[in-house]
Amino acid sequence: MKKLLKGLLWLVLMVALVAPVGVAVAKTTFETSERSISIGAHQATLRPDYSGEIVFDAGPLLPMVKMPVDDPRFGIGATIYLGDADVTTLDELVARDAVIASQPDGEVAAVRAALRDMWIDSALRGVGVAMALLVLSFVVWSAVGADRRAELAAQWRRPNRRRLVGGAVAVGLVAASVVVVVRSDPSSATNDVSWVKLTEAFPELVVDQPFVEKLELSDGAALRGGETIISGALTTYQASSEFFDELAETAKDVRVRKPDDNQTVALVVTDRHDNVAMDPTARQIAENAEASLLLDLGDDTSNGAAWEEFSINSLAREFEDFDVVAVAGNHDQGTHIADYMRDSGFTLLDGEPVDVDRIRFIGSSDPRSSGLTKGYTGDEDDNIAAISQQDEELTEAACDDGDVAVALVHSGASAKQLAQSGCVDLILSGHLHRQVGPNVVVSEDGDPTVTLATGTTGGAIYAFALGTGLRREAQMTLVTFERGKPVGVQLVDIDTGGAITPQDYVELDDLIADSPDMPDEEDEE
Protein backbone atom coordinates (compact mmCIF):
# COMPACT_ATOMS: atom_id res chain seq x y z
CA MET A 1 0.00 0.00 0.00
CA LYS A 2 2.86 2.31 0.84
CA LYS A 3 4.51 1.66 -2.53
CA LEU A 4 1.20 2.34 -4.31
CA LEU A 5 0.77 5.67 -2.51
CA LYS A 6 4.36 6.60 -3.28
CA GLY A 7 3.81 5.74 -6.95
CA LEU A 8 0.66 7.84 -7.11
CA LEU A 9 2.49 10.72 -5.45
CA TRP A 10 5.23 10.60 -8.08
CA LEU A 11 2.61 10.45 -10.86
CA VAL A 12 0.83 13.52 -9.50
CA LEU A 13 4.18 15.28 -9.21
CA MET A 14 5.12 14.48 -12.81
CA VAL A 15 1.72 15.61 -14.12
CA ALA A 16 2.14 18.85 -12.17
CA LEU A 17 5.55 19.33 -13.78
CA VAL A 18 4.57 18.57 -17.41
CA ALA A 19 1.12 20.21 -17.42
CA PRO A 20 2.50 23.81 -17.50
CA VAL A 21 4.73 22.82 -20.38
CA GLY A 22 1.74 21.47 -22.31
CA VAL A 23 -0.26 24.63 -21.63
CA ALA A 24 2.66 26.80 -22.70
CA VAL A 25 3.06 24.82 -25.95
CA ALA A 26 -0.66 25.08 -26.69
CA LYS A 27 -0.71 28.81 -26.02
CA THR A 28 2.41 29.54 -28.06
CA THR A 29 1.21 27.38 -30.94
CA PHE A 30 -2.13 29.18 -31.03
CA GLU A 31 -0.57 32.65 -30.92
CA THR A 32 1.91 31.92 -33.71
CA SER A 33 -0.44 30.02 -36.02
CA GLU A 34 -2.27 31.37 -39.05
CA ARG A 35 -4.84 30.09 -41.51
CA SER A 36 -5.96 31.08 -45.01
CA ILE A 37 -9.69 31.70 -45.26
CA SER A 38 -12.11 33.50 -47.55
CA ILE A 39 -13.74 36.62 -46.11
CA GLY A 40 -16.21 38.49 -48.26
CA ALA A 41 -14.58 39.21 -51.61
CA HIS A 42 -11.07 38.41 -50.36
CA GLN A 43 -8.64 35.63 -49.76
CA ALA A 44 -7.46 36.42 -46.26
CA THR A 45 -4.99 35.34 -43.58
CA LEU A 46 -6.30 34.79 -40.05
CA ARG A 47 -3.88 35.21 -37.14
CA PRO A 48 -5.33 34.59 -33.67
CA ASP A 49 -4.43 36.43 -30.48
CA TYR A 50 -5.82 37.10 -27.01
CA SER A 51 -7.02 40.66 -27.60
CA GLY A 52 -10.73 39.87 -27.43
CA GLU A 53 -11.11 41.89 -30.65
CA ILE A 54 -11.20 41.28 -34.39
CA VAL A 55 -9.08 43.63 -36.51
CA PHE A 56 -9.43 43.77 -40.30
CA ASP A 57 -6.37 45.03 -42.16
CA ALA A 58 -6.98 45.77 -45.86
CA GLY A 59 -3.60 47.38 -46.52
CA PRO A 60 -2.30 50.96 -46.53
CA LEU A 61 -5.02 52.52 -48.72
CA LEU A 62 -7.91 51.85 -46.32
CA PRO A 63 -8.19 52.23 -42.54
CA MET A 64 -8.16 49.17 -40.34
CA VAL A 65 -11.47 48.14 -38.79
CA LYS A 66 -11.79 46.86 -35.23
CA MET A 67 -14.72 45.23 -33.49
CA PRO A 68 -15.06 43.41 -30.16
CA VAL A 69 -15.73 39.68 -30.06
CA ASP A 70 -19.30 39.03 -28.93
CA ASP A 71 -18.31 35.90 -27.00
CA PRO A 72 -14.78 36.63 -25.73
CA ARG A 73 -14.13 33.26 -24.10
CA PHE A 74 -10.48 33.03 -23.04
CA GLY A 75 -10.07 36.55 -24.51
CA ILE A 76 -9.60 35.10 -27.99
CA GLY A 77 -9.43 37.57 -30.89
CA ALA A 78 -7.69 37.80 -34.24
CA THR A 79 -6.19 39.99 -36.91
CA ILE A 80 -7.48 39.29 -40.40
CA TYR A 81 -5.26 40.44 -43.25
CA LEU A 82 -7.43 40.88 -46.32
CA GLY A 83 -5.74 39.83 -49.56
CA ASP A 84 -6.49 39.87 -53.27
CA ALA A 85 -9.90 39.89 -54.93
CA ASP A 86 -10.82 39.62 -58.61
CA VAL A 87 -11.88 43.23 -59.14
CA THR A 88 -10.28 45.97 -61.19
CA THR A 89 -10.93 49.03 -59.01
CA LEU A 90 -10.85 49.81 -55.31
CA ASP A 91 -14.32 51.38 -55.53
CA GLU A 92 -15.76 48.16 -56.92
CA LEU A 93 -14.07 46.09 -54.23
CA VAL A 94 -15.31 48.25 -51.35
CA ALA A 95 -18.85 48.37 -52.77
CA ARG A 96 -18.91 44.58 -53.05
CA ASP A 97 -17.67 44.17 -49.49
CA ALA A 98 -20.34 46.61 -48.30
CA VAL A 99 -23.14 44.49 -49.77
CA ILE A 100 -21.70 41.30 -48.28
CA ALA A 101 -21.34 43.06 -44.90
CA SER A 102 -25.08 43.72 -44.87
CA GLN A 103 -25.54 39.98 -44.21
CA PRO A 104 -22.47 39.12 -42.09
CA ASP A 105 -23.68 36.04 -40.22
CA GLY A 106 -22.15 33.53 -42.63
CA GLU A 107 -18.74 35.20 -42.50
CA VAL A 108 -18.87 35.53 -38.72
CA ALA A 109 -19.63 31.82 -38.45
CA ALA A 110 -16.72 30.98 -40.75
CA VAL A 111 -14.23 33.03 -38.68
CA ARG A 112 -15.56 31.55 -35.45
CA ALA A 113 -15.21 28.01 -36.85
CA ALA A 114 -11.65 28.70 -38.02
CA LEU A 115 -10.62 30.08 -34.62
CA ARG A 116 -12.25 27.13 -32.86
CA ASP A 117 -10.40 24.64 -35.07
CA MET A 118 -7.08 26.45 -34.54
CA TRP A 119 -7.62 26.49 -30.77
CA ILE A 120 -8.45 22.77 -30.73
CA ASP A 121 -5.40 21.94 -32.88
CA SER A 122 -3.16 23.94 -30.54
CA ALA A 123 -4.68 22.33 -27.44
CA LEU A 124 -4.16 18.87 -28.88
CA ARG A 125 -0.53 19.69 -29.64
CA GLY A 126 -0.06 20.86 -26.05
CA VAL A 127 -1.66 17.68 -24.70
CA GLY A 128 0.53 15.61 -27.02
CA VAL A 129 3.72 17.27 -25.81
CA ALA A 130 2.67 16.89 -22.15
CA MET A 131 1.85 13.21 -22.66
CA ALA A 132 5.13 12.61 -24.47
CA LEU A 133 7.05 14.16 -21.55
CA LEU A 134 5.05 12.11 -19.07
CA VAL A 135 5.75 8.88 -20.97
CA LEU A 136 9.43 9.82 -21.32
CA SER A 137 9.63 10.47 -17.58
CA PHE A 138 8.07 7.09 -16.86
CA VAL A 139 10.51 5.35 -19.22
CA VAL A 140 13.49 7.06 -17.55
CA TRP A 141 12.06 6.23 -14.12
CA SER A 142 11.77 2.56 -15.04
CA ALA A 143 15.16 2.42 -16.74
CA VAL A 144 16.99 3.83 -13.71
CA GLY A 145 15.73 0.98 -11.54
CA ALA A 146 14.77 0.79 -7.89
CA ASP A 147 18.33 0.50 -6.54
CA ARG A 148 19.66 3.52 -8.40
CA ARG A 149 16.55 5.53 -7.46
CA ALA A 150 17.21 4.68 -3.82
CA GLU A 151 20.80 5.92 -4.15
CA LEU A 152 19.65 9.16 -5.76
CA ALA A 153 17.02 9.63 -3.09
CA ALA A 154 19.64 9.19 -0.38
CA GLN A 155 21.83 11.79 -2.02
CA TRP A 156 18.87 14.18 -2.39
CA ARG A 157 18.17 13.91 1.34
CA ARG A 158 21.48 15.62 2.11
CA PRO A 159 20.60 19.18 3.21
CA ASN A 160 22.72 21.05 0.65
CA ARG A 161 21.68 18.80 -2.24
CA ARG A 162 18.04 18.99 -1.20
CA ARG A 163 18.13 22.76 -1.27
CA LEU A 164 19.88 22.77 -4.65
CA VAL A 165 17.48 20.33 -6.31
CA GLY A 166 14.45 21.89 -4.62
CA GLY A 167 15.55 25.29 -5.80
CA ALA A 168 15.99 24.02 -9.34
CA VAL A 169 12.50 22.50 -9.34
CA ALA A 170 11.05 25.71 -7.91
CA VAL A 171 12.76 27.80 -10.57
CA GLY A 172 11.46 25.43 -13.25
CA LEU A 173 7.91 25.67 -11.98
CA VAL A 174 8.07 29.45 -11.72
CA ALA A 175 9.48 29.69 -15.23
CA ALA A 176 6.72 27.48 -16.59
CA SER A 177 4.12 29.53 -14.75
CA VAL A 178 5.54 32.73 -16.21
CA VAL A 179 5.30 31.29 -19.71
CA VAL A 180 1.65 30.42 -19.11
CA VAL A 181 0.57 33.57 -17.28
CA VAL A 182 2.53 36.30 -19.07
CA ARG A 183 0.98 37.01 -22.45
CA SER A 184 2.64 38.65 -25.35
CA ASP A 185 1.06 41.97 -26.18
CA PRO A 186 -2.19 40.90 -27.88
CA SER A 187 -2.32 44.00 -30.02
CA SER A 188 1.34 44.24 -30.96
CA ALA A 189 0.42 44.98 -34.57
CA THR A 190 -1.99 47.75 -33.61
CA ASN A 191 -0.88 49.06 -30.19
CA ASP A 192 0.44 52.28 -31.72
CA VAL A 193 -2.77 52.89 -33.66
CA SER A 194 -5.32 55.54 -32.71
CA TRP A 195 -8.91 54.44 -33.07
CA VAL A 196 -12.09 56.39 -33.70
CA LYS A 197 -15.63 55.06 -33.64
CA LEU A 198 -17.23 54.63 -37.05
CA THR A 199 -20.27 56.61 -35.94
CA GLU A 200 -18.02 59.51 -34.90
CA ALA A 201 -16.03 59.51 -38.13
CA PHE A 202 -19.24 59.39 -40.17
CA PRO A 203 -21.97 61.00 -38.04
CA GLU A 204 -24.41 60.91 -40.95
CA LEU A 205 -24.46 57.10 -40.77
CA VAL A 206 -27.82 55.71 -39.67
CA VAL A 207 -27.12 52.86 -37.25
CA ASP A 208 -29.51 50.00 -38.02
CA GLN A 209 -27.59 47.07 -36.56
CA PRO A 210 -26.08 46.91 -33.04
CA PHE A 211 -22.67 45.71 -34.20
CA VAL A 212 -22.19 48.89 -36.28
CA GLU A 213 -22.05 50.97 -33.08
CA LYS A 214 -19.09 48.88 -31.91
CA LEU A 215 -16.99 49.33 -35.04
CA GLU A 216 -13.85 51.46 -34.84
CA LEU A 217 -11.57 52.73 -37.60
CA SER A 218 -7.86 53.41 -37.41
CA ASP A 219 -7.37 57.17 -37.43
CA GLY A 220 -4.80 58.51 -39.87
CA ALA A 221 -4.03 59.20 -43.50
CA ALA A 222 -5.89 56.12 -44.76
CA LEU A 223 -9.10 57.26 -43.09
CA ARG A 224 -8.84 60.84 -44.30
CA GLY A 225 -7.68 59.90 -47.78
CA GLY A 226 -10.35 57.23 -48.20
CA GLU A 227 -13.32 59.16 -46.88
CA THR A 228 -15.05 59.31 -50.28
CA ILE A 229 -14.66 55.59 -50.90
CA ILE A 230 -15.70 54.69 -47.37
CA SER A 231 -18.68 57.02 -47.48
CA GLY A 232 -19.78 55.41 -50.74
CA ALA A 233 -19.42 51.96 -49.21
CA LEU A 234 -21.50 52.98 -46.21
CA THR A 235 -24.21 54.32 -48.53
CA THR A 236 -24.20 51.01 -50.41
CA TYR A 237 -24.32 49.10 -47.14
CA GLN A 238 -27.27 51.13 -45.88
CA ALA A 239 -29.22 50.83 -49.12
CA SER A 240 -28.67 47.06 -49.28
CA SER A 241 -29.58 46.59 -45.63
CA GLU A 242 -32.72 48.67 -45.93
CA PHE A 243 -34.07 46.89 -49.01
CA PHE A 244 -33.32 43.33 -48.00
CA ASP A 245 -34.18 43.76 -44.32
CA GLU A 246 -37.54 45.17 -45.35
CA LEU A 247 -37.97 42.29 -47.79
CA ALA A 248 -37.38 39.75 -45.01
CA GLU A 249 -39.95 41.58 -42.85
CA THR A 250 -42.45 41.51 -45.72
CA ALA A 251 -41.89 37.76 -46.08
CA LYS A 252 -43.19 37.18 -42.55
CA ASP A 253 -46.72 38.01 -43.74
CA VAL A 254 -46.62 35.90 -46.91
CA ARG A 255 -49.14 33.09 -46.79
CA VAL A 256 -48.11 29.87 -48.48
CA ARG A 257 -49.54 26.38 -48.25
CA LYS A 258 -48.63 24.45 -45.12
CA PRO A 259 -48.18 20.67 -45.18
CA ASP A 260 -50.90 18.25 -44.14
CA ASP A 261 -50.20 15.39 -41.77
CA ASN A 262 -47.60 12.96 -43.13
CA GLN A 263 -46.30 15.61 -45.55
CA THR A 264 -42.94 17.40 -45.67
CA VAL A 265 -41.89 20.48 -47.58
CA ALA A 266 -38.65 21.42 -49.34
CA LEU A 267 -37.57 24.89 -50.42
CA VAL A 268 -35.87 25.12 -53.83
CA VAL A 269 -33.29 27.85 -54.49
CA THR A 270 -31.19 28.30 -57.60
CA ASP A 271 -28.97 30.83 -59.37
CA ARG A 272 -28.29 32.91 -56.26
CA HIS A 273 -25.06 34.23 -57.83
CA ASP A 274 -23.58 35.45 -54.53
CA ASN A 275 -26.69 37.38 -53.46
CA VAL A 276 -26.50 36.41 -49.81
CA ALA A 277 -28.85 39.26 -48.93
CA MET A 278 -31.76 37.14 -50.23
CA ASP A 279 -31.05 34.26 -47.85
CA PRO A 280 -33.01 35.62 -44.83
CA THR A 281 -36.06 36.07 -47.07
CA ALA A 282 -35.69 32.54 -48.41
CA ARG A 283 -35.43 31.25 -44.85
CA GLN A 284 -38.58 33.15 -43.85
CA ILE A 285 -40.55 31.68 -46.78
CA ALA A 286 -39.32 28.24 -45.73
CA GLU A 287 -40.50 28.83 -42.17
CA ASN A 288 -43.90 30.02 -43.39
CA ALA A 289 -44.28 26.76 -45.30
CA GLU A 290 -42.93 24.68 -42.39
CA ALA A 291 -40.19 23.37 -44.67
CA SER A 292 -37.44 21.14 -43.32
CA LEU A 293 -35.37 20.48 -46.45
CA LEU A 294 -33.40 22.76 -48.79
CA LEU A 295 -32.78 21.87 -52.43
CA ASP A 296 -29.99 23.94 -53.98
CA LEU A 297 -29.80 23.72 -57.80
CA GLY A 298 -26.48 25.49 -58.19
CA ASP A 299 -24.92 28.70 -59.51
CA ASP A 300 -24.50 29.91 -55.96
CA THR A 301 -21.49 31.86 -57.24
CA SER A 302 -20.52 33.86 -60.31
CA ASN A 303 -17.25 32.21 -61.26
CA GLY A 304 -16.55 29.41 -58.78
CA ALA A 305 -13.66 31.25 -57.13
CA ALA A 306 -12.38 30.51 -53.64
CA TRP A 307 -13.32 33.98 -52.39
CA GLU A 308 -16.97 33.15 -53.14
CA GLU A 309 -17.09 30.74 -50.22
CA PHE A 310 -19.03 33.51 -48.49
CA SER A 311 -22.09 32.55 -50.56
CA ILE A 312 -22.00 28.96 -49.29
CA ASN A 313 -21.24 30.20 -45.76
CA SER A 314 -24.39 32.31 -45.82
CA LEU A 315 -26.63 29.53 -47.10
CA ALA A 316 -25.21 27.02 -44.62
CA ARG A 317 -25.65 29.48 -41.76
CA GLU A 318 -29.20 30.48 -42.69
CA PHE A 319 -30.32 26.86 -43.11
CA GLU A 320 -28.07 25.25 -40.49
CA ASP A 321 -30.93 23.13 -39.11
CA PHE A 322 -32.06 21.90 -42.56
CA ASP A 323 -30.92 18.93 -44.58
CA VAL A 324 -29.43 20.42 -47.76
CA VAL A 325 -29.33 18.50 -51.06
CA ALA A 326 -27.37 20.27 -53.79
CA VAL A 327 -25.77 20.25 -57.21
CA ALA A 328 -23.24 22.78 -58.51
CA GLY A 329 -24.01 24.90 -61.57
CA ASN A 330 -21.96 25.91 -64.60
CA HIS A 331 -20.85 29.10 -62.79
CA ASP A 332 -19.66 27.01 -59.83
CA GLN A 333 -17.26 25.07 -62.00
CA GLY A 334 -13.97 23.74 -60.78
CA THR A 335 -13.67 21.64 -57.67
CA HIS A 336 -13.48 24.34 -55.02
CA ILE A 337 -17.14 25.30 -54.57
CA ALA A 338 -18.35 21.70 -54.88
CA ASP A 339 -15.83 20.57 -52.26
CA TYR A 340 -16.80 23.49 -50.03
CA MET A 341 -20.46 22.47 -50.28
CA ARG A 342 -19.53 19.01 -48.98
CA ASP A 343 -17.36 20.52 -46.24
CA SER A 344 -20.35 22.67 -45.23
CA GLY A 345 -22.52 19.59 -44.71
CA PHE A 346 -24.44 19.65 -48.00
CA THR A 347 -25.38 16.36 -49.66
CA LEU A 348 -23.83 16.97 -53.08
CA LEU A 349 -25.38 14.60 -55.62
CA ASP A 350 -22.89 12.75 -57.82
CA GLY A 351 -25.00 10.65 -60.18
CA GLU A 352 -26.10 7.91 -57.82
CA PRO A 353 -29.45 7.65 -56.00
CA VAL A 354 -29.40 8.73 -52.35
CA ASP A 355 -32.04 8.94 -49.63
CA VAL A 356 -32.43 12.18 -47.67
CA ASP A 357 -35.33 12.67 -45.28
CA ARG A 358 -36.91 9.44 -46.67
CA ILE A 359 -36.97 10.92 -50.19
CA ARG A 360 -34.92 9.28 -52.96
CA PHE A 361 -32.92 11.77 -55.03
CA ILE A 362 -30.65 11.58 -58.02
CA GLY A 363 -28.68 14.30 -59.77
CA SER A 364 -25.23 15.62 -60.58
CA SER A 365 -23.47 18.93 -61.01
CA ASP A 366 -23.38 20.75 -64.33
CA PRO A 367 -20.42 19.51 -66.40
CA ARG A 368 -20.00 22.80 -68.27
CA SER A 369 -18.07 25.97 -67.54
CA SER A 370 -19.53 29.41 -68.04
CA GLY A 371 -17.75 32.19 -69.87
CA LEU A 372 -16.60 33.62 -66.53
CA THR A 373 -15.03 30.48 -65.09
CA LYS A 374 -11.46 29.31 -65.36
CA GLY A 375 -12.28 26.10 -67.25
CA TYR A 376 -14.18 27.78 -70.09
CA THR A 377 -12.96 26.76 -73.55
CA GLY A 378 -15.62 28.37 -75.74
CA ASP A 379 -16.25 25.03 -77.45
CA GLU A 380 -20.03 24.60 -77.48
CA ASP A 381 -19.71 21.13 -79.05
CA ASP A 382 -17.85 20.00 -75.93
CA ASN A 383 -20.61 21.44 -73.75
CA ILE A 384 -23.35 19.71 -75.74
CA ALA A 385 -21.51 16.39 -75.57
CA ALA A 386 -20.96 16.76 -71.81
CA ILE A 387 -24.65 17.54 -71.19
CA SER A 388 -25.74 14.59 -73.34
CA GLN A 389 -23.45 12.22 -71.47
CA GLN A 390 -24.71 13.51 -68.12
CA ASP A 391 -28.30 12.92 -69.26
CA GLU A 392 -27.55 9.37 -70.40
CA GLU A 393 -25.80 8.48 -67.14
CA LEU A 394 -28.58 9.91 -64.96
CA THR A 395 -31.23 8.12 -67.02
CA GLU A 396 -29.47 4.78 -66.76
CA ALA A 397 -28.88 5.13 -63.01
CA ALA A 398 -32.46 6.23 -62.29
CA CYS A 399 -34.09 3.53 -64.41
CA ASP A 400 -31.86 0.81 -62.97
CA ASP A 401 -32.81 1.94 -59.47
CA GLY A 402 -36.55 2.20 -60.13
CA ASP A 403 -37.42 4.11 -56.93
CA VAL A 404 -36.11 7.63 -57.57
CA ALA A 405 -38.63 10.34 -56.74
CA VAL A 406 -36.78 13.55 -57.66
CA ALA A 407 -33.91 14.48 -59.95
CA LEU A 408 -31.92 17.68 -59.33
CA VAL A 409 -29.95 19.23 -62.19
CA HIS A 410 -28.80 22.76 -62.76
CA SER A 411 -30.03 22.87 -66.35
CA GLY A 412 -33.08 21.11 -67.72
CA ALA A 413 -30.98 20.22 -70.77
CA SER A 414 -29.19 17.70 -68.54
CA ALA A 415 -32.39 15.67 -68.05
CA LYS A 416 -34.29 15.56 -71.34
CA GLN A 417 -33.80 11.82 -71.81
CA LEU A 418 -34.47 11.30 -68.13
CA ALA A 419 -37.80 13.11 -68.44
CA GLN A 420 -38.81 11.03 -71.45
CA SER A 421 -37.89 7.80 -69.65
CA GLY A 422 -40.56 8.18 -66.96
CA CYS A 423 -38.10 6.81 -64.39
CA VAL A 424 -38.49 9.74 -61.96
CA ASP A 425 -41.55 11.60 -60.71
CA LEU A 426 -40.17 15.15 -60.71
CA ILE A 427 -37.20 16.93 -62.32
CA LEU A 428 -36.14 20.25 -60.80
CA SER A 429 -33.78 22.65 -62.58
CA GLY A 430 -32.74 26.30 -62.80
CA HIS A 431 -30.16 27.95 -65.08
CA LEU A 432 -32.59 29.91 -67.26
CA HIS A 433 -33.29 32.62 -64.63
CA ARG A 434 -36.99 32.32 -65.50
CA GLN A 435 -39.77 29.89 -64.74
CA VAL A 436 -40.56 27.08 -67.18
CA GLY A 437 -43.31 24.68 -66.15
CA PRO A 438 -44.51 22.77 -64.35
CA ASN A 439 -44.92 20.59 -67.44
CA VAL A 440 -45.75 16.93 -67.87
CA VAL A 441 -43.63 14.64 -70.04
CA VAL A 442 -45.06 11.18 -70.76
CA SER A 443 -42.86 8.22 -71.66
CA GLU A 444 -43.64 5.70 -74.41
CA ASP A 445 -44.96 3.40 -71.68
CA GLY A 446 -47.30 6.10 -70.37
CA ASP A 447 -45.26 6.99 -67.25
CA PRO A 448 -45.45 10.72 -66.40
CA THR A 449 -42.63 12.98 -65.22
CA VAL A 450 -43.20 16.57 -64.10
CA THR A 451 -40.47 19.07 -65.02
CA LEU A 452 -40.02 22.51 -63.47
CA ALA A 453 -37.38 25.20 -63.95
CA THR A 454 -37.30 27.79 -61.15
CA GLY A 455 -36.19 31.36 -61.83
CA THR A 456 -33.18 33.01 -60.23
CA THR A 457 -33.48 33.20 -56.45
CA GLY A 458 -30.81 35.89 -56.37
CA GLY A 459 -32.59 38.13 -58.83
CA ALA A 460 -29.56 37.90 -61.11
CA ILE A 461 -29.01 39.24 -64.62
CA TYR A 462 -26.57 36.88 -66.29
CA ALA A 463 -24.24 35.96 -63.41
CA PHE A 464 -24.50 39.16 -61.40
CA ALA A 465 -26.84 39.65 -58.45
CA LEU A 466 -24.91 41.58 -55.76
CA GLY A 467 -26.29 45.06 -55.29
CA THR A 468 -28.55 47.26 -53.24
CA GLY A 469 -31.69 45.55 -54.58
CA LEU A 470 -32.91 42.92 -57.01
CA ARG A 471 -31.71 43.25 -60.60
CA ARG A 472 -34.70 41.27 -61.88
CA GLU A 473 -37.63 39.28 -60.50
CA ALA A 474 -36.52 36.60 -58.05
CA GLN A 475 -38.17 33.26 -57.46
CA MET A 476 -38.10 30.16 -55.27
CA THR A 477 -40.21 27.00 -55.16
CA LEU A 478 -41.85 24.98 -52.41
CA VAL A 479 -42.21 21.25 -53.08
CA THR A 480 -44.53 19.12 -50.95
CA PHE A 481 -43.78 15.44 -50.38
CA GLU A 482 -45.92 12.66 -48.99
CA ARG A 483 -44.50 9.24 -48.16
CA GLY A 484 -41.33 10.12 -50.06
CA LYS A 485 -43.09 11.18 -53.28
CA PRO A 486 -43.65 14.73 -54.62
CA VAL A 487 -47.35 15.65 -54.56
CA GLY A 488 -47.40 19.41 -55.18
CA VAL A 489 -45.44 22.58 -55.98
CA GLN A 490 -45.90 26.25 -55.21
CA LEU A 491 -43.71 28.97 -56.66
CA VAL A 492 -43.09 32.30 -54.90
CA ASP A 493 -42.34 35.42 -56.96
CA ILE A 494 -40.51 38.52 -55.67
CA ASP A 495 -40.47 41.61 -57.87
CA THR A 496 -37.81 44.30 -57.96
CA GLY A 497 -39.95 46.61 -55.85
CA GLY A 498 -40.03 44.10 -52.98
CA ALA A 499 -43.55 42.68 -53.44
CA ILE A 500 -43.80 38.94 -52.69
CA THR A 501 -46.53 36.98 -54.47
CA PRO A 502 -47.11 33.23 -53.98
CA GLN A 503 -48.50 31.42 -57.00
CA ASP A 504 -51.33 28.93 -56.64
CA TYR A 505 -50.43 25.54 -55.23
CA VAL A 506 -50.39 22.88 -57.96
CA GLU A 507 -51.37 19.30 -57.17
CA LEU A 508 -49.16 17.09 -59.33
CA ASP A 509 -51.84 14.39 -59.71
CA ASP A 510 -54.26 17.00 -61.08
CA LEU A 511 -51.58 18.39 -63.38
CA ILE A 512 -50.83 14.93 -64.73
CA ALA A 513 -54.50 14.03 -65.12
CA ASP A 514 -55.10 17.20 -67.15
CA SER A 515 -52.14 16.58 -69.46
CA PRO A 516 -53.24 15.90 -73.06
CA ASP A 517 -50.26 13.57 -73.45
CA MET A 518 -51.51 11.13 -70.87
CA PRO A 519 -53.17 8.05 -72.44
CA ASP A 520 -56.80 7.62 -71.49
CA GLU A 521 -58.09 4.36 -70.08
CA GLU A 522 -59.28 3.11 -73.49
CA ASP A 523 -55.81 3.63 -74.97
CA GLU A 524 -54.29 1.66 -72.10
CA GLU A 525 -56.63 -1.23 -72.79
Side-chain angles (χ1 to χ4, degrees), residues 361-439:
F361 292 94
I362 197 170
S364 58
S365 297
D366 200 299
R368 300 169 295 180
S369 294
S370 77
L372 294 180
T373 55
K374 183 182 294 186
Y376 182 66
T377 64
D379 193 332
E380 289 302 316
D381 289 338
D382 287 348
N383 283 339
I384 293 171
I387 287 290
S388 178
Q389 181 179 350
Q390 180 187 25
D391 197 353
E392 290 176 5
E393 291 172 351
L394 288 175
T395 302
E396 182 179 357
C399 293
D400 287 347
D401 183 83
D403 292 320
V404 176
V406 182
L408 305 185
V409 289
H410 178 64
S411 170
S414 297
K416 290 183 177 180
Q417 296 179 50
L418 180 58
Q420 293 168 356
S421 72
C423 292
V424 298
D425 300 314
L426 176 64
I427 297 175
L428 297 171
S429 64
H431 185 63
L432 300 176
H433 291 202
R434 58 185 174 85
Q435 177 185 345
V436 178
N439 297 319

Side-chain angles (χ1 to χ4, degrees), residues 11 14 34 47 74 105 170-172 181 218 220 248 268 270 281 285 316 393 422 435 441 443 469 511:
L11 178 61
M14 292 308 301
E34 64 179 41
R47 294 178 182 169
F74 308 109
D105 289 347
V171 170
V181 174
S218 58
V268 179
T270 184
T281 298
I285 295 297
E393 291 172 351
Q435 177 185 345
V441 179
S443 72
L511 182 70

Side-chain angles (χ1 to χ4, degrees), residues 438-520:
N439 297 319
V440 178
V441 179
V442 182
S443 72
E444 293 180 353
D445 296 331
D447 297 319
T449 296
V450 176
T451 64
L452 174 62
T454 300
T456 165
T457 305
I461 294 179
Y462 189 41
F464 304 102
L466 276 177
T468 57
L470 294 172
R471 294 172 182 255
R472 65 175 297 168
E473 182 181 84
Q475 193 173 68
M476 56 196 77
T477 297
L478 296 163
V479 182
T480 302
F481 295 89
E482 186 170 338
R483 297 183 180 87
K485 298 294 183 181
V487 296
V489 296
Q490 184 177 25
L491 289 97
V492 179
D493 302 323
I494 305 172
D495 68 26
T496 55
I500 304 176
T501 308
Q503 297 183 21
D504 292 337
Y505 177 76
V506 178
E507 293 272 3
L508 297 191
D509 283 346
D510 293 344
L511 182 70
I512 293 169
D514 293 340
S515 172
D517 296 326
M518 283 297 293
D520 55 33

Side-chain angles (χ1 to χ4, degrees), residues 445-446 518-525:
D445 296 331
M518 283 297 293
D520 55 33
E521 295 181 0
E522 293 181 0
D523 292 337
E524 292 179 355
E525 293 176 358

Side-chain angles (χ1 to χ4, degrees), residues 106-128:
E107 300 305 274
V108 170
V111 172
R112 184 179 289 119
L115 286 172
R116 181 191 64 236
D117 291 345
M118 296 170 78
W119 189 88
I120 291 173
D121 290 345
S122 301
L124 290 175
R125 176 171 291 188
V127 171

Side-chain angles (χ1 to χ4, degrees), residues 38 79 117 143 153 155 189 204 239-240 276 303 323 339 355 417 419 428 442 453 458 464 519 522:
S38 294
T79 299
D117 291 345
Q155 294 178 13
E204 72 278 8
S240 179
V276 296
N303 60 11
D323 289 322
D339 290 343
D355 292 317
Q417 296 179 50
L428 297 171
V442 182
F464 304 102
E522 293 181 0

